[in-house]
Amino acid sequence: MADQLLSTVTYHETLPENYVRPESQRPRLTQVISDANIPIIDLGSPDKSRIISQIGKACQSYGFFQVVVNHGIDTELMVKMMAISLEFFRLPPEEKAKLYSDDPAKKMRLSTSFNVRKEAVHNWRDYLRLHCYPLEEYVPGWPSNPSSFKEVVSTYCKEVRRLGFRLLGALSLSLGLEEEYIERVLGQQEQHMAINYYPRCPEPELTYGLPAHTDPNALTILLQQPNVAGLQVLKDGKWIAVEPRPNAFVINIGDQLQALSNARFKSVWHRAVVNSDTERMSVASFLCPCNTAIISPPEKLLAEGSPAVYRSYTYDEYYNKFWSRNLDDEHCLELFKGEKSQSGGLSGPCKSST
């Protein structure tokens, strides 16, 4: 129900019981570390081979990297995107209630936590989920309030998609493949967006904005609110705080690129924590394979003695499995290890996924 939205309450004095994690599952914020070696890539470097090498190493060691300069997206548009997102979540409760849904199958929905139908413990997050490609199909159903929402968000989506394909080309080359290989095998890629709102939390050490998870898609491009930290990634068994950088994007490798690269790339485990001082926003854009795309590593990556780590499957099969589980269950890719393909070589036109 819409009254579950956290953003309809000015401030919660105490953490509701259904958000409190068991002792063993709490974030242990005092144990989080900083890492000055988080990969930062300059896509404008004249040495293209160096860019490709840096991206490949980052995806193998961290599973993510930051693009701070020369990503091709105007900083004014980034500022507008963050501003319109915050304006949306500050709309009156009765306005937001019209958009609320806890049905993961809906192409546009305002909801809370992650999957409230299945969770035992909720997450300290509201979010607006949008399908973004093709834009002409989905924009008419997007919120009309704020008045400039459709214009700003659709412009942002186009630019992010262009950046995503540019990065997929570099990822292909870093694996020794043709530049167009990953884009081609993923098919006519869908694009989704999650605009995340994390309110001030009275007891942030007891809950999460989002618990540890990997992304089920191919590539995630994250815009963080400046000056408000919350994203953390797991490396070598330790949680690392990813401090927001001005005008930067965080690029996450998703599960499909881990499978496609035969586990050379890491689908990074990450989480969002909250704080008691200020609200936080982020905008996550997801490039998703066509539902009928068959995810399987190319022969070139299957050297002798290095068989396929995961069985072949369609993205539709994977995505349905992902949404049937809780977010903090075991890695969904583990369910696809070492079996024969059950996809049956499906082919045909793409259909929309959630």
Side-chain angles (χ1 to χ4, degrees):
M1 295 181 60
D3 59 6
Q4 292 179 291
L5 288 169
L6 296 167
S7 54
T8 61
V9 179
T10 303
Y11 184 66
H12 297 258
E13 296 296 335
T14 60
L15 189 67
E17 193 63 32
N18 57 344
Y19 288 87
V20 177
R21 291 274 166 176
E23 175 67 34
S24 62
Q25 298 177 16
R26 294 175 185 174
R28 294 183 173 81
L29 299 175
T30 58
Q31 297 179 18
V32 176
I33 63 173
S34 298
D35 183 354
N37 297 316
I38 287 176
I40 298 173
I41 310 295
D42 177 2
L43 295 180
S45 170
D47 188 346
K48 187 174 181 180
S49 62
R50 184 169 180 266
I51 296 173
I52 292 166
S53 174
Q54 287 178 331
I55 288 176
K57 288 177 181 177
C59 294
Q60 292 179 40
S61 60
Y62 280 82
F64 85 106
F65 54 93
Q66 293 198 76
V67 177
V68 179
V69 293
N70 295 313
H71 45 62
I73 299 182
D74 188 74
T75 56
E76 183 180 353
L77 178 59
M78 298 166 72
V79 171
K80 285 182 177 179
M81 182 66 220
M82 193 59 69
I84 205 73
S85 299
L86 185 56
E87 188 178 347
F88 171 83
F89 278 100
R90 288 181 173 165
L91 290 173
E94 59 272 16
E95 185 78 17
K96 289 183 288 190
K98 301 173 187 176
L99 304 174
Y100 181 84
S101 175
D102 59 9
D103 180 3
K106 285 203 168 184
K107 310 301 181 189
M108 191 280 293
R109 68 186 186 277
L110 173 63
S111 198
T112 191
S113 189
F114 174 72
N115 191 348
V116 291
R117 292 183 177 184
K118 292 183 175 293
E119 297 164 345
V121 181
H122 296 325
N123 305 298
W124 200 254
R125 174 186 80 139
D126 289 347
Y127 65 96
L128 178 65
R129 183 86 180 194
L130 302 173
H131 281 226
C132 308
Y133 187 85
L135 281 168
E136 60 270 18
E137 178 177 342
Y138 294 115
V139 169
W142 286 3
S144 298
N145 194 8
S147 59
S148 60
F149 184 91
K150 292 179 180 180
E151 178 186 356
V152 171
V153 178
S154 59
T155 301
Y156 178 83
C157 286
K158 292 175 188 175
E159 294 301 313
V160 164
R161 188 174 183 86
R162 186 177 294 114
L163 173 60
F165 287 159
R166 182 181 175 189
L167 292 169
L168 289 179
L171 290 165
S172 288
L173 291 171
S174 75
L175 290 169
L177 306 170
E178 302 170 19
E179 187 169 4
E180 301 80 16
Y181 181 85
I182 292 178
E183 181 179 343
R184 185 172 66 247
V185 300
L186 295 183
Q188 186 73 0
Q189 292 175 64
E190 294 188 13
Q191 183 177 344
H192 304 167
M193 175 185 286
I195 302 177
N196 301 305
Y197 177 76
Y198 304 98
R200 288 193 299 152
C201 179
E203 297 176 281
E205 69 279 1
L206 302 182
T207 193
Y208 291 101
L210 279 174
H213 64 285
T214 62
D215 290 341
N217 51 293
L219 193 70
T220 301
I221 300 174
L222 181 73
L223 175 63
Q224 295 197 85
Q225 180 179 350
N227 306 318
V228 186
L231 174 64
Q232 299 176 353
V233 299
L234 187 66
K235 186 176 190 298
D236 301 329
K238 296 180 180 179
W239 285 104
I240 300 170
V242 182
E243 297 296 330
R245 288 177 171 268
N247 309 320
F249 291 99
V250 177
I251 312 299
N252 285 8
I253 295 299
D255 292 347
Q256 307 318 308
L257 290 183
Q258 178 168 322
L260 196 62
S261 69
N262 208 33
R264 292 192 187 185
F265 292 163
K266 294 180 180 179
S267 181
V268 63
W269 284 90
H270 55 289
R271 66 186 190 183
V273 297
V274 290
N275 69 81
S276 58
D277 297 324
T278 184
E279 62 195 355
R280 175 177 175 262
M281 299 286 307
S282 70
V283 180
S285 297
F286 309 102
L287 285 182
C288 311
C290 168
N291 269 6
T292 55
I294 296 176
I295 307 300
S296 183
E299 290 294 327
K300 188 170 184 177
L301 300 185
L302 300 179
E304 186 175 346
S306 179
V309 177
Y310 309 101
R311 67 172 176 84
S312 298
Y313 57 84
T314 62
Y315 183 60
D316 186 51
E317 180 185 2
Y318 191 92
Y319 207 74
N320 288 334
K321 178 70 72 175
F322 180 87
W323 275 97
S324 70
R325 307 155 64 253
N326 287 329
L327 186 62
D328 49 359
D329 284 348
E330 70 171 335
H331 196 178
C332 193
L333 265 180
E334 292 296 310
L335 305 177
F336 292 81
K337 267 191 171 178
E339 304 173 23
K340 292 184 178 179
S341 172
Q342 297 174 7
S343 65
L346 292 175
S347 60
C350 295
K351 63 184 181 70
S352 284
S353 60
T354 302

